DNA sequence: TATCTATTGTTATAGAATAACATCGAATGA
DNA sequence: TCATTCGATGTTATTCTATAACAATAGATA
C-alpha cells in the first residue's frame, strides 16, 4: 500500500477536468468553491488512491498554509455535500467523484494491497437494496457499498513476487 | 439515537440462543469461547442496537472487571473471526450475527434515528457485486454493504412528533 | 461605510484502534 | 506433581480519526 508521491500526467489531466467541473457545479448552485476547498479537492485528485484527512492536512501544511484538523474536515464536508468527493467508510478515506453534480452513493472496489479504489454505479445493486428496504418499510437515505479485495495488478505482482 | 439500558425479554431470549449456538460453533472448531469473549458477545446481544467498542468496555468495567481497549478489541477480533458478530464500518460498531457458523459479509439496514440495524442476506446484491468485480478481474475478499436511512417506527414517530 | 454571515483559524478534547511488553492460566509432557 | 509451553489477558502508551467551542477574518449586502 505505497501511495505514489508525484501525480502522473493522466492524473493531472483528470484533476484539471474535475476541478473545472467543480467550478461549474458550484457556480450553478450558488455555493463557494473557496481557495481552501479547491485545494483540498485538487490534493485528492492528484493522488492515485483514496486519502485520509490527516494526509491531506500534511499536504496543506507543506503548502505553507496553517491548519488543524477542522480545516480539513470542514472542506471535506463541503465537498461531500456537493457530491464532489466520496468517503470510503471502510478506510476512513476520501476520493474524487467522477460523476459530480448528480448526488449518488456509488459502489467501490478497493484493493487492499495498493489501496486504489474503482467506482462502480451498478443500478441492479442500488435497486435491489431499495427493494429490500421498501419491503421492510425502510426509508433509504444513503448506501455504503464497498468491496474489499485485490486488483489484477496486485494479484499478478504477488504471483511473480513469490 | 437513545440506546435502551435494559434488554427486553425478547432480546434476552435471542442472546441466550446466540450464546448457546456460539458455544457449539466454538467447540466444533476447537477454539475457546472464554469468559471474557462470552461476556462480550452477551453484552452485544443484550443491546438492541449496535454497540461501539468503548461502550462495551464501559459495561465490562461496570461488571467490576479491569480492562483497557485491547481487552475489548481482542475479544471482538475473535468473535469477528468466528463469524459470531459483524462490524458496521459506517458506524464503527458491532452487532450479533444471526447466522453464525457460515462466514458471510451480510448487508445492513441502519436507522439513523434509533440506531437499530437489520441484517439482510440478499444473494442478488452479493452475486451482482461479484460479477462486477470479476469483469474487472478483481478478486473479492469481503463486502461492506450498509444502507443508512430510517426505520418505520422512526418515520412514524417523526410524523406524529411534528 | 457599517453590518451581517459564511469561512477559516485555534485550542482542546473525544472516540477508535493498535503496538509493545508483562503477567496469568490452562493444557501438555516429563 | 512439577515444569514447560503457549494462548489469553492485563497494562501502558501512542497513533489515528473526528468534532466541539470559540476567536478572528473575509465577502457580500444594505
Amino acid at each position: 500500500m505505497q501511495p505514489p508521491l508525484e501525480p502522473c500526467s493522466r492524473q493531472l489531466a483528470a484533476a484539471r477536468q474535475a476541478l473545472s467541473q467543480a467550478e461549474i457545479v458550484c457556480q450553478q448552485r450558488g455555493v463557494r468553491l473557496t481557495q481552501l476547498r479547491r485545494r483540498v479537492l485538487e490534493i485528492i485528485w492528484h493522488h492515485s488512491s483514496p486519502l485520509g484527512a490527516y494526509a491531506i492536512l500534511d499536504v496543506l501544511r507543506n503548502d505553507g498554509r496553517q491548519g488543524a484538523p477542522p480545516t480539513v474536515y470542514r472542506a471535506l464536508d463541503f465537498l461531500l455535500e456537493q457530491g464532489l468527493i466520496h468517503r470510503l467508510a471502510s478506510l476512513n478515506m476520501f476520493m474524487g467523484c467522477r460523476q459530480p453534480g448528480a448526488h449518488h452513493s456509488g459502489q467501490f472496489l478497493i484493493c487492499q494491497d495498493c489501496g486504489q479504489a474503482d467506482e462502480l454505479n451498478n443500478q441492479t445493486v442500488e435497486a435491489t437494496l431499495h427493494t429490500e428496504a421498501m419491503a421492510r418499510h425502510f426509508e433509504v437515505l444513503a448506501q455504503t457499498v464497498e468491496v474489499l479485495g485485490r486488483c489484477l495488478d496486485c494479484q499478478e505482482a504477488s504471483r511473480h513476487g513469490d
Side-chain angles (χ1 to χ4, degrees), chain A:
Chain A
M1 189 103 92
Q2 286 311 323
L5 297 171
E6 292 300 326
C8 67
S9 64
R10 191 178 44 73
Q11 279 170 258
L12 289 174
R16 264 196 303 276
Q17 207 206 320
L19 286 170
S20 62
Q21 262 210 282
E23 297 278 10
I24 294 167
V25 167
C26 288
Q27 198 162 8
Q28 284 174 346
R29 291 181 188 158
V31 295
R32 292 171 53 201
L33 187 64
T34 60
Q35 281 283 321
L36 174 65
R37 291 165 175 173
R38 191 188 153 86
R39 178 63 181 132
V40 168
L41 185 58
E42 187 180 48
I43 290 167
I44 290 171
W45 273 103
H46 277 181
H47 207 259
S48 65
S49 53
L51 267 177
Y54 283 69
I56 295 168
L57 183 55
D58 285 342
V59 178
L60 285 176
R61 283 172 172 160
N62 261 332
D63 285 358
R65 180 190 287 270
Q66 65 246 62
T71 308
V72 176
Y73 280 103
R74 283 188 291 229
L76 291 171
D77 285 343
F78 171 85
L79 297 171
L80 284 169
E81 269 169 31
Q82 300 304 322
L84 298 170
I85 61 172
H86 290 290
R87 179 173 186 276
L88 301 181
S90 61
L91 300 180
N92 296 323
M93 285 183 171
F94 304 85
M95 63 180 284
C97 171
R98 274 178 240 286
Q99 282 95 22
H103 291 83
H104 63 287
S105 301
Q107 303 123 11
F108 304 89
L109 302 182
I110 303 169
C111 178
Q112 70 171 13
D113 285 9
C114 67
Q116 288 194 49
D118 226 34
E119 180 177 348
L120 314 176
N121 279 284
N122 184 292
Q123 292 306 304
T124 302
V125 170
E126 184 163 347
T128 306
L129 287 174
H130 256 282
T131 303
E132 284 274 15
M134 260 188 3
R136 288 162 176 79
H137 306 287
F138 186 92
E139 177 191 3
V140 175
L141 297 173
Q143 294 186 0
T144 299
V145 178
E146 299 172 16
V147 178
L148 186 73
R150 284 201 309 173
C151 69
L152 180 60
D153 289 351
C154 289
Q155 288 170 51
E156 286 178 346
S158 82
R159 267 197 290 276
H160 296 314
D162 285 345

